[in-house]
Amino acid sequence: MLRFLLPWLLVLHLAFPSVSAKAAPFVMRISCGARQNVRTPPTNTLWFKDFAYTGGIPYNATSPSYISPPLKTLRYFPLSSGPENCYNINRVPKGHYLVRIFFGLVAQPNFDNEPLFDISIEGTQIASLKSGWSNLDDQVFAEAFVFLTDGTASICFHSTGHGDPSILSLEILQVDDEAYNYGPQWGEGIILRTATRLNCGVGKPKFGVDLNATNWGGDRFWNPITTFSQGSDRSRSVETSIKQASKSPNFYPEAIYKSAIVSTESQPDLEYTMDVDPNRNYSIWLHFAEIDTSISNAGQRVFDIQINGHVEFENVDIIKMSGDRYTALVLNTSVAVNGRSLTITLHPKKGGHAIINAIEVFEIIMAESKTLVEEVRALQALKKALGLPVRLGWNGDPCVPPQHPWSGADCQYDKTNNKWVIDGIGLDNQGLKGIVPNEISRLRHLQSINLSGNSIHGVIPSSLGTVTSLEVLDLSYNLFNGSVPESLGQLTSLRRLNLNSNSLSGKVPAALGGRLLHRASFNFTDNSGLCGIPGLPSCGPHLTAGAKVGIALGSLVLFLLLVIFSICCWKRRQNILRAQQIAARDAPYAKARTHLSRDIQMTRHHNHGNARTAAENGPSLLS
């Protein structure tokens, strides 16, 4: 899996050099594609480079909006690098966080300047970009409040076939653990996706840092709105201090209560309508402060609040409920929305006018359960051992978000563990060339494996015999060698086994032959060395691998001895022939020497009586 690794101690030192971890929230900001850390004006905000991230392609960026961070680079993810790409950020302390992702545009002519893709956090999809997002300030980023509990933050981008995901920056900002607690169902299993956040009555977009908000507020973005409907309301603002504003756990900036929208005589109702996704639940937070100088006492302004025509709050009296003028009041409710719009209506009952200072709307999302850790690790081992092509991805969580599971991995929700599990692997005809690792047996819930039509070599892991739920095993048309593991005979649920067109040899387990009586379908053809069950040749004496090696070595030694013996015989024959040839060539000369010797001896015999001294006759000539 592709990873971004940044030491936690380095984060603390650089982000808060003089403040203890307890005195300030955890802050991580990443400038995607940057080769060095960056500080941006006017607040001198620190953005870390994504130096250890290897996926995607760093490139020069064009910011779609002036509210985007003034960063010069981004990272985009072509589909050729896989449909899922993730930042996995380690050493994130357990807690509650605002996670925000800004999107960018690749600074290159003729490039798709508005890609559409999905975003998930911790395996839960939180956003799906819609056409036109690059022209809307509040849609150039996605953000959500998320509980991070396992020391990591996983942020993934999922291609939908409409351009390459392009990411400008990531922010992980810690907030109070009780922030936006909307009631009994709220907790660690809940994600609040920001649908809108409006600062009423003002004309400039601002972040928390621009509003002098405390760091525990998560540096929220407030989108300005000066009117709900032109001519039907008016804006109002004051410089007076607002009491009870920046309080735990939400720490709202005081500035959002210093401006408001007020209804008019011609249109007493204040009505705001926004588009939403249907059949979802929404948490709505409404902000009030009585800043109208014409209202000084309780009872002078009273109104009802309706959501999609249903009264959620009756007889709202800001001064009475907050305790005083210029004092913050926050009302929260959760509603189910069936249609595609959400309408907030403030209907005056006393005073003739309604007023509102700010609006926040969050989609309530149930956090997805993740895949069993052991099974994720098994798939990662399989990815490495088989040399899975980059185009398949296999990044993030295999099963979540459910809209984007890993290609070739089938998932099932296990109610016993409240986790997702892998019940099928289908990687046939993918050009795989590695081996099947023993870790595949950790996928305890597998019902089918199809790896046919590849170039996988090595032996079939005997550990597959421990995956008792396995019903289909197709390893055909590969390069597997060795024998069929005896352990496969233990798979009593196996109903289809295809091992044809490999290089397997040896005796097929008898237990597999017995499965044929239970309507199982097995294919062992095109394996010249297999034997032992009906449909295959009968096996001779079974030889162990050691015995086979011994026979091979013995045959080799015997062959070498025969060669040596043959050479020796040939040499001896050659020597005999050579001796005979020499004897035949030297025979006349030997006969001549014999006759000469005889004549000399006879001469000596006849001259015996007339012998002389050597001095008289000279030396004897024997040649």
Side-chain angles (χ1 to χ4, degrees), residues 597-617:
S597 176
R598 177 183 172 194
D599 292 340
I600 290 171
Q601 291 175 5
M602 290 179 67
T603 300
R604 286 178 179 176
H605 177 74
H606 293 306
N607 290 331
H608 181 72
N610 301 316
R612 296 183 179 183
T613 63
E616 292 174 338
N617 296 325

mmCIF file with all atom_site columns, all heavy atoms in Angstrom, residues 597-617:
data_model
loop_
_atom_site.group_PDB
_atom_site.id
_atom_site.type_symbol
_atom_site.label_atom_id
_atom_site.label_alt_id
_atom_site.label_comp_id
_atom_site.label_asym_id
_atom_site.label_entity_id
_atom_site.label_seq_id
_atom_site.pdbx_PDB_ins_code
_atom_site.Cartn_x
_atom_site.Cartn_y
_atom_site.Cartn_z
_atom_site.occupancy
_atom_site.B_iso_or_equiv
_atom_site.pdbx_formal_charge
_atom_site.auth_seq_id
_atom_site.auth_comp_id
_atom_site.auth_asym_id
_atom_site.auth_atom_id
_atom_site.pdbx_PDB_model_num
ATOM 1   N N   . SER A 1 597 ? 75.298  -62.604 -37.673 1.00 0.00 ? 597 SER A N   1
ATOM 2   C CA  . SER A 1 597 ? 75.883  -63.060 -36.402 1.00 0.00 ? 597 SER A CA  1
ATOM 3   C C   . SER A 1 597 ? 76.361  -64.513 -36.508 1.00 0.00 ? 597 SER A C   1
ATOM 4   O O   . SER A 1 597 ? 77.406  -64.886 -36.010 1.00 0.00 ? 597 SER A O   1
ATOM 5   C CB  . SER A 1 597 ? 74.838  -62.937 -35.276 1.00 0.00 ? 597 SER A CB  1
ATOM 6   O OG  . SER A 1 597 ? 75.339  -63.439 -34.083 1.00 0.00 ? 597 SER A OG  1
ATOM 7   N N   . ARG A 1 598 ? 75.606  -65.336 -37.202 1.00 0.00 ? 598 ARG A N   1
ATOM 8   C CA  . ARG A 1 598 ? 75.970  -66.751 -37.358 1.00 0.00 ? 598 ARG A CA  1
ATOM 9   C C   . ARG A 1 598 ? 77.239  -66.903 -38.173 1.00 0.00 ? 598 ARG A C   1
ATOM 10  O O   . ARG A 1 598 ? 78.128  -67.677 -37.827 1.00 0.00 ? 598 ARG A O   1
ATOM 11  C CB  . ARG A 1 598 ? 74.794  -67.497 -38.021 1.00 0.00 ? 598 ARG A CB  1
ATOM 12  C CG  . ARG A 1 598 ? 75.083  -68.955 -38.296 1.00 0.00 ? 598 ARG A CG  1
ATOM 13  C CD  . ARG A 1 598 ? 73.919  -69.561 -39.000 1.00 0.00 ? 598 ARG A CD  1
ATOM 14  N NE  . ARG A 1 598 ? 74.252  -70.897 -39.424 1.00 0.00 ? 598 ARG A NE  1
ATOM 15  C CZ  . ARG A 1 598 ? 73.558  -71.601 -40.293 1.00 0.00 ? 598 ARG A CZ  1
ATOM 16  N NH1 . ARG A 1 598 ? 72.484  -71.054 -40.844 1.00 0.00 ? 598 ARG A NH1 1
ATOM 17  N NH2 . ARG A 1 598 ? 73.904  -72.838 -40.641 1.00 0.00 ? 598 ARG A NH2 1
ATOM 18  N N   . ASP A 1 599 ? 77.386  -66.123 -39.260 1.00 0.00 ? 599 ASP A N   1
ATOM 19  C CA  . ASP A 1 599 ? 78.575  -66.196 -40.117 1.00 0.00 ? 599 ASP A CA  1
ATOM 20  C C   . ASP A 1 599 ? 79.825  -65.784 -39.349 1.00 0.00 ? 599 ASP A C   1
ATOM 21  O O   . ASP A 1 599 ? 80.902  -66.395 -39.488 1.00 0.00 ? 599 ASP A O   1
ATOM 22  C CB  . ASP A 1 599 ? 78.410  -65.323 -41.346 1.00 0.00 ? 599 ASP A CB  1
ATOM 23  C CG  . ASP A 1 599 ? 77.344  -65.867 -42.295 1.00 0.00 ? 599 ASP A CG  1
ATOM 24  O OD1 . ASP A 1 599 ? 77.020  -67.069 -42.189 1.00 0.00 ? 599 ASP A OD1 1
ATOM 25  O OD2 . ASP A 1 599 ? 76.821  -65.064 -43.111 1.00 0.00 ? 599 ASP A OD2 1
ATOM 26  N N   . ILE A 1 600 ? 79.678  -64.788 -38.531 1.00 0.00 ? 600 ILE A N   1
ATOM 27  C CA  . ILE A 1 600 ? 80.829  -64.324 -37.763 1.00 0.00 ? 600 ILE A CA  1
ATOM 28  C C   . ILE A 1 600 ? 81.274  -65.407 -36.782 1.00 0.00 ? 600 ILE A C   1
ATOM 29  O O   . ILE A 1 600 ? 82.454  -65.687 -36.603 1.00 0.00 ? 600 ILE A O   1
ATOM 30  C CB  . ILE A 1 600 ? 80.493  -63.032 -37.026 1.00 0.00 ? 600 ILE A CB  1
ATOM 31  C CG1 . ILE A 1 600 ? 80.339  -61.896 -38.038 1.00 0.00 ? 600 ILE A CG1 1
ATOM 32  C CG2 . ILE A 1 600 ? 81.565  -62.672 -35.999 1.00 0.00 ? 600 ILE A CG2 1
ATOM 33  C CD1 . ILE A 1 600 ? 79.810  -60.640 -37.439 1.00 0.00 ? 600 ILE A CD1 1
ATOM 34  N N   . GLN A 1 601 ? 80.319  -66.050 -36.121 1.00 0.00 ? 601 GLN A N   1
ATOM 35  C CA  . GLN A 1 601 ? 80.668  -67.086 -35.167 1.00 0.00 ? 601 GLN A CA  1
ATOM 36  C C   . GLN A 1 601 ? 81.382  -68.258 -35.868 1.00 0.00 ? 601 GLN A C   1
ATOM 37  O O   . GLN A 1 601 ? 82.375  -68.806 -35.365 1.00 0.00 ? 601 GLN A O   1
ATOM 38  C CB  . GLN A 1 601 ? 79.405  -67.603 -34.457 1.00 0.00 ? 601 GLN A CB  1
ATOM 39  C CG  . GLN A 1 601 ? 78.802  -66.560 -33.520 1.00 0.00 ? 601 GLN A CG  1
ATOM 40  C CD  . GLN A 1 601 ? 77.493  -67.053 -32.923 1.00 0.00 ? 601 GLN A CD  1
ATOM 41  O OE1 . GLN A 1 601 ? 77.128  -68.224 -33.164 1.00 0.00 ? 601 GLN A OE1 1
ATOM 42  N NE2 . GLN A 1 601 ? 76.861  -66.193 -32.160 1.00 0.00 ? 601 GLN A NE2 1
ATOM 43  N N   . MET A 1 602 ? 80.919  -68.644 -37.025 1.00 0.00 ? 602 MET A N   1
ATOM 44  C CA  . MET A 1 602 ? 81.547  -69.743 -37.753 1.00 0.00 ? 602 MET A CA  1
ATOM 45  C C   . MET A 1 602 ? 82.934  -69.358 -38.186 1.00 0.00 ? 602 MET A C   1
ATOM 46  O O   . MET A 1 602 ? 83.877  -70.162 -38.136 1.00 0.00 ? 602 MET A O   1
ATOM 47  C CB  . MET A 1 602 ? 80.699  -70.131 -38.982 1.00 0.00 ? 602 MET A CB  1
ATOM 48  C CG  . MET A 1 602 ? 79.380  -70.818 -38.616 1.00 0.00 ? 602 MET A CG  1
ATOM 49  S SD  . MET A 1 602 ? 78.425  -71.212 -40.083 1.00 0.00 ? 602 MET A SD  1
ATOM 50  C CE  . MET A 1 602 ? 79.505  -72.462 -40.819 1.00 0.00 ? 602 MET A CE  1
ATOM 51  N N   . THR A 1 603 ? 83.160  -68.185 -38.581 1.00 0.00 ? 603 THR A N   1
ATOM 52  C CA  . THR A 1 603 ? 84.486  -67.726 -38.984 1.00 0.00 ? 603 THR A CA  1
ATOM 53  C C   . THR A 1 603 ? 85.444  -67.821 -37.822 1.00 0.00 ? 603 THR A C   1
ATOM 54  O O   . THR A 1 603 ? 86.586  -68.256 -37.953 1.00 0.00 ? 603 THR A O   1
ATOM 55  C CB  . THR A 1 603 ? 84.406  -66.287 -39.484 1.00 0.00 ? 603 THR A CB  1
ATOM 56  O OG1 . THR A 1 603 ? 83.521  -66.237 -40.599 1.00 0.00 ? 603 THR A OG1 1
ATOM 57  C CG2 . THR A 1 603 ? 85.775  -65.780 -39.909 1.00 0.00 ? 603 THR A CG2 1
ATOM 58  N N   . ARG A 1 604 ? 84.961  -67.368 -36.665 1.00 0.00 ? 604 ARG A N   1
ATOM 59  C CA  . ARG A 1 604 ? 85.802  -67.433 -35.477 1.00 0.00 ? 604 ARG A CA  1
ATOM 60  C C   . ARG A 1 604 ? 86.173  -68.901 -35.163 1.00 0.00 ? 604 ARG A C   1
ATOM 61  O O   . ARG A 1 604 ? 87.294  -69.224 -34.746 1.00 0.00 ? 604 ARG A O   1
ATOM 62  C CB  . ARG A 1 604 ? 85.101  -66.811 -34.271 1.00 0.00 ? 604 ARG A CB  1
ATOM 63  C CG  . ARG A 1 604 ? 85.069  -65.312 -34.369 1.00 0.00 ? 604 ARG A CG  1
ATOM 64  C CD  . ARG A 1 604 ? 84.321  -64.764 -33.173 1.00 0.00 ? 604 ARG A CD  1
ATOM 65  N NE  . ARG A 1 604 ? 84.278  -63.290 -33.191 1.00 0.00 ? 604 ARG A NE  1
ATOM 66  C CZ  . ARG A 1 604 ? 83.634  -62.559 -32.306 1.00 0.00 ? 604 ARG A CZ  1
ATOM 67  N NH1 . ARG A 1 604 ? 82.964  -63.180 -31.340 1.00 0.00 ? 604 ARG A NH1 1
ATOM 68  N NH2 . ARG A 1 604 ? 83.675  -61.253 -32.400 1.00 0.00 ? 604 ARG A NH2 1
ATOM 69  N N   . HIS A 1 605 ? 85.264  -69.744 -35.363 1.00 0.00 ? 605 HIS A N   1
ATOM 70  C CA  . HIS A 1 605 ? 85.517  -71.160 -35.040 1.00 0.00 ? 605 HIS A CA  1
ATOM 71  C C   . HIS A 1 605 ? 86.582  -71.744 -35.963 1.00 0.00 ? 605 HIS A C   1
ATOM 72  O O   . HIS A 1 605 ? 87.464  -72.473 -35.532 1.00 0.00 ? 605 HIS A O   1
ATOM 73  C CB  . HIS A 1 605 ? 84.193  -71.943 -35.132 1.00 0.00 ? 605 HIS A CB  1
ATOM 74  C CG  . HIS A 1 605 ? 84.379  -73.400 -34.888 1.00 0.00 ? 605 HIS A CG  1
ATOM 75  N ND1 . HIS A 1 605 ? 84.621  -73.949 -33.637 1.00 0.00 ? 605 HIS A ND1 1
ATOM 76  C CD2 . HIS A 1 605 ? 84.381  -74.471 -35.767 1.00 0.00 ? 605 HIS A CD2 1
ATOM 77  C CE1 . HIS A 1 605 ? 84.755  -75.245 -33.716 1.00 0.00 ? 605 HIS A CE1 1
ATOM 78  N NE2 . HIS A 1 605 ? 84.603  -75.614 -35.018 1.00 0.00 ? 605 HIS A NE2 1
ATOM 79  N N   . HIS A 1 606 ? 86.526  -71.426 -37.251 1.00 0.00 ? 606 HIS A N   1
ATOM 80  C CA  . HIS A 1 606 ? 87.486  -71.982 -38.205 1.00 0.00 ? 606 HIS A CA  1
ATOM 81  C C   . HIS A 1 606 ? 88.869  -71.373 -38.057 1.00 0.00 ? 606 HIS A C   1
ATOM 82  O O   . HIS A 1 606 ? 89.873  -72.008 -38.410 1.00 0.00 ? 606 HIS A O   1
ATOM 83  C CB  . HIS A 1 606 ? 86.981  -71.766 -39.644 1.00 0.00 ? 606 HIS A CB  1
ATOM 84  C CG  . HIS A 1 606 ? 85.739  -72.563 -39.955 1.00 0.00 ? 606 HIS A CG  1
ATOM 85  N ND1 . HIS A 1 606 ? 85.658  -73.940 -39.767 1.00 0.00 ? 606 HIS A ND1 1
ATOM 86  C CD2 . HIS A 1 606 ? 84.524  -72.194 -40.464 1.00 0.00 ? 606 HIS A CD2 1
ATOM 87  C CE1 . HIS A 1 606 ? 84.505  -74.386 -40.139 1.00 0.00 ? 606 HIS A CE1 1
ATOM 88  N NE2 . HIS A 1 606 ? 83.753  -73.333 -40.564 1.00 0.00 ? 606 HIS A NE2 1
ATOM 89  N N   . ASN A 1 607 ? 89.012  -70.262 -37.562 1.00 0.00 ? 607 ASN A N   1
ATOM 90  C CA  . ASN A 1 607 ? 90.319  -69.616 -37.429 1.00 0.00 ? 607 ASN A CA  1
ATOM 91  C C   . ASN A 1 607 ? 90.887  -69.787 -36.017 1.00 0.00 ? 607 ASN A C   1
ATOM 92  O O   . ASN A 1 607 ? 91.761  -69.037 -35.592 1.00 0.00 ? 607 ASN A O   1
ATOM 93  C CB  . ASN A 1 607 ? 90.194  -68.123 -37.736 1.00 0.00 ? 607 ASN A CB  1
ATOM 94  C CG  . ASN A 1 607 ? 89.915  -67.897 -39.227 1.00 0.00 ? 607 ASN A CG  1
ATOM 95  O OD1 . ASN A 1 607 ? 90.341  -68.711 -40.073 1.00 0.00 ? 607 ASN A OD1 1
ATOM 96  N ND2 . ASN A 1 607 ? 89.246  -66.816 -39.538 1.00 0.00 ? 607 ASN A ND2 1
ATOM 97  N N   . HIS A 1 608 ? 90.432  -70.640 -35.278 1.00 0.00 ? 608 HIS A N   1
ATOM 98  C CA  . HIS A 1 608 ? 90.883  -70.771 -33.890 1.00 0.00 ? 608 HIS A CA  1
ATOM 99  C C   . HIS A 1 608 ? 92.377  -71.144 -33.794 1.00 0.00 ? 608 HIS A C   1
ATOM 100 O O   . HIS A 1 608 ? 93.076  -70.652 -32.907 1.00 0.00 ? 608 HIS A O   1
ATOM 101 C CB  . HIS A 1 608 ? 90.011  -71.829 -33.173 1.00 0.00 ? 608 HIS A CB  1
ATOM 102 C CG  . HIS A 1 608 ? 90.394  -71.999 -31.753 1.00 0.00 ? 608 HIS A CG  1
ATOM 103 N ND1 . HIS A 1 608 ? 90.136  -71.053 -30.797 1.00 0.00 ? 608 HIS A ND1 1
ATOM 104 C CD2 . HIS A 1 608 ? 91.042  -73.041 -31.123 1.00 0.00 ? 608 HIS A CD2 1
ATOM 105 C CE1 . HIS A 1 608 ? 90.586  -71.458 -29.644 1.00 0.00 ? 608 HIS A CE1 1
ATOM 106 N NE2 . HIS A 1 608 ? 91.157  -72.699 -29.799 1.00 0.00 ? 608 HIS A NE2 1
ATOM 107 N N   . GLY A 1 609 ? 92.824  -71.968 -34.758 1.00 0.00 ? 609 GLY A N   1
ATOM 108 C CA  . GLY A 1 609 ? 94.204  -72.408 -34.656 1.00 0.00 ? 609 GLY A CA  1
ATOM 109 C C   . GLY A 1 609 ? 95.196  -71.351 -35.085 1.00 0.00 ? 609 GLY A C   1
ATOM 110 O O   . GLY A 1 609 ? 96.379  -71.471 -34.800 1.00 0.00 ? 609 GLY A O   1
ATOM 111 N N   . ASN A 1 610 ? 94.805  -70.428 -35.792 1.00 0.00 ? 610 ASN A N   1
ATOM 112 C CA  . ASN A 1 610 ? 95.691  -69.365 -36.281 1.00 0.00 ? 610 ASN A CA  1
ATOM 113 C C   . ASN A 1 610 ? 95.437  -68.055 -35.562 1.00 0.00 ? 610 ASN A C   1
ATOM 114 O O   . ASN A 1 610 ? 95.522  -66.974 -36.154 1.00 0.00 ? 610 ASN A O   1
ATOM 115 C CB  . ASN A 1 610 ? 95.477  -69.175 -37.789 1.00 0.00 ? 610 ASN A CB  1
ATOM 116 C CG  . ASN A 1 610 ? 95.763  -70.440 -38.590 1.00 0.00 ? 610 ASN A CG  1
ATOM 117 O OD1 . ASN A 1 610 ? 96.792  -71.123 -38.309 1.00 0.00 ? 610 ASN A OD1 1
ATOM 118 N ND2 . ASN A 1 610 ? 94.939  -70.785 -39.557 1.00 0.00 ? 610 ASN A ND2 1
ATOM 119 N N   . ALA A 1 611 ? 95.111  -68.105 -34.356 1.00 0.00 ? 611 ALA A N   1
ATOM 120 C CA  . ALA A 1 611 ? 94.794  -66.869 -33.618 1.00 0.00 ? 611 ALA A CA  1
ATOM 121 C C   . ALA A 1 611 ? 96.032  -66.023 -33.440 1.00 0.00 ? 611 ALA A C   1
ATOM 122 O O   . ALA A 1 611 ? 97.114  -66.521 -33.226 1.00 0.00 ? 611 ALA A O   1
ATOM 123 C CB  . ALA A 1 611 ? 94.225  -67.256 -32.232 1.00 0.00 ? 611 ALA A CB  1
ATOM 124 N N   . ARG A 1 612 ? 95.716  -64.677 -33.456 1.00 0.00 ? 612 ARG A N   1
ATOM 125 C CA  . ARG A 1 612 ? 96.795  -63.703 -33.265 1.00 0.00 ? 612 ARG A CA  1
ATOM 126 C C   . ARG A 1 612 ? 96.408  -62.773 -32.143 1.00 0.00 ? 612 ARG A C   1
ATOM 127 O O   . ARG A 1 612 ? 95.264  -62.634 -31.785 1.00 0.00 ? 612 ARG A O   1
ATOM 128 C CB  . ARG A 1 612 ? 97.016  -62.905 -34.540 1.00 0.00 ? 612 ARG A CB  1
ATOM 129 C CG  . ARG A 1 612 ? 97.508  -63.795 -35.719 1.00 0.00 ? 612 ARG A CG  1
ATOM 130 C CD  . ARG A 1 612 ? 97.764  -62.931 -36.918 1.00 0.00 ? 612 ARG A CD  1
ATOM 131 N NE  . ARG A 1 612 ? 98.245  -63.717 -38.061 1.00 0.00 ? 612 ARG A NE  1
ATOM 132 C CZ  . ARG A 1 612 ? 98.596  -63.176 -39.235 1.00 0.00 ? 612 ARG A CZ  1
ATOM 133 N NH1 . ARG A 1 612 ? 98.496  -61.870 -39.403 1.00 0.00 ? 612 ARG A NH1 1
ATOM 134 N NH2 . ARG A 1 612 ? 99.030  -63.947 -40.219 1.00 0.00 ? 612 ARG A NH2 1
ATOM 135 N N   . THR A 1 613 ? 97.414  -62.069 -31.754 1.00 0.00 ? 613 THR A N   1
ATOM 136 C CA  . THR A 1 613 ? 97.156  -61.098 -30.695 1.00 0.00 ? 613 THR A CA  1
ATOM 137 C C   . THR A 1 613 ? 96.516  -59.900 -31.302 1.00 0.00 ? 613 THR A C   1
ATOM 138 O O   . THR A 1 613 ? 96.563  -59.643 -32.516 1.00 0.00 ? 613 THR A O   1
ATOM 139 C CB  . THR A 1 613 ? 98.477  -60.689 -30.027 1.00 0.00 ? 613 THR A CB  1
ATOM 140 O OG1 . THR A 1 613 ? 99.282  -60.049 -31.014 1.00 0.00 ? 613 THR A OG1 1
ATOM 141 C CG2 . THR A 1 613 ? 99.205  -61.873 -29.418 1.00 0.00 ? 613 THR A CG2 1
ATOM 142 N N   . ALA A 1 614 ? 95.961  -59.171 -30.440 1.00 0.00 ? 614 ALA A N   1
ATOM 143 C CA  . ALA A 1 614 ? 95.292  -57.951 -30.896 1.00 0.00 ? 614 ALA A CA  1
ATOM 144 C C   . ALA A 1 614 ? 96.266  -56.981 -31.493 1.00 0.00 ? 614 ALA A C   1
ATOM 145 O O   . ALA A 1 614 ? 95.971  -56.273 -32.442 1.00 0.00 ? 614 ALA A O   1
ATOM 146 C CB  . ALA A 1 614 ? 94.563  -57.321 -29.705 1.00 0.00 ? 614 ALA A CB  1
ATOM 147 N N   . ALA A 1 615 ? 97.441  -57.037 -30.992 1.00 0.00 ? 615 ALA A N   1
ATOM 148 C CA  . ALA A 1 615 ? 98.408  -56.080 -31.518 1.00 0.00 ? 615 ALA A CA  1
ATOM 149 C C   . ALA A 1 615 ? 98.779  -56.441 -32.935 1.00 0.00 ? 615 ALA A C   1
ATOM 150 O O   . ALA A 1 615 ? 99.096  -55.601 -33.750 1.00 0.00 ? 615 ALA A O   1
ATOM 151 C CB  . ALA A 1 615 ? 99.643  -56.082 -30.606 1.00 0.00 ? 615 ALA A CB  1
ATOM 152 N N   . GLU A 1 616 ? 98.679  -57.755 -33.207 1.00 0.00 ? 616 GLU A N   1
ATOM 153 C CA  . GLU A 1 616 ? 99.068  -58.175 -34.552 1.00 0.00 ? 616 GLU A CA  1
ATOM 154 C C   . GLU A 1 616 ? 97.955  -57.986 -35.569 1.00 0.00 ? 616 GLU A C   1
ATOM 155 O O   . GLU A 1 616 ? 98.184  -57.591 -36.711 1.00 0.00 ? 616 GLU A O   1
ATOM 156 C CB  . GLU A 1 616 ? 99.435  -59.657 -34.522 1.00 0.00 ? 616 GLU A CB  1
ATOM 157 C CG  . GLU A 1 616 ? 100.701 -59.931 -33.738 1.00 0.00 ? 616 GLU A CG  1
ATOM 158 C CD  . GLU A 1 616 ? 100.951 -61.423 -33.614 1.00 0.00 ? 616 GLU A CD  1
ATOM 159 O OE1 . GLU A 1 616 ? 99.937  -62.175 -33.763 1.00 0.00 ? 616 GLU A OE1 1
ATOM 160 O OE2 . GLU A 1 616 ? 102.074 -61.808 -33.376 1.00 0.00 ? 616 GLU A OE2 1
ATOM 161 N N   . ASN A 1 617 ? 96.745  -58.263 -35.138 1.00 0.00 ? 617 ASN A N   1
ATOM 162 C CA  . ASN A 1 617 ? 95.630  -58.225 -36.081 1.00 0.00 ? 617 ASN A CA  1
ATOM 163 C C   . ASN A 1 617 ? 94.823  -56.935 -36.031 1.00 0.00 ? 617 ASN A C   1
ATOM 164 O O   . ASN A 1 617 ? 93.987  -56.695 -36.867 1.00 0.00 ? 617 ASN A O   1
ATOM 165 C CB  . ASN A 1 617 ? 94.684  -59.391 -35.798 1.00 0.00 ? 617 ASN A CB  1
ATOM 166 C CG  . ASN A 1 617 ? 95.374  -60.712 -36.050 1.00 0.00 ? 617 ASN A CG  1
ATOM 167 O OD1 . ASN A 1 617 ? 96.199  -60.814 -36.980 1.00 0.00 ? 617 ASN A OD1 1
ATOM 168 N ND2 . ASN A 1 617 ? 95.052  -61.705 -35.251 1.00 0.00 ? 617 ASN A ND2 1
#
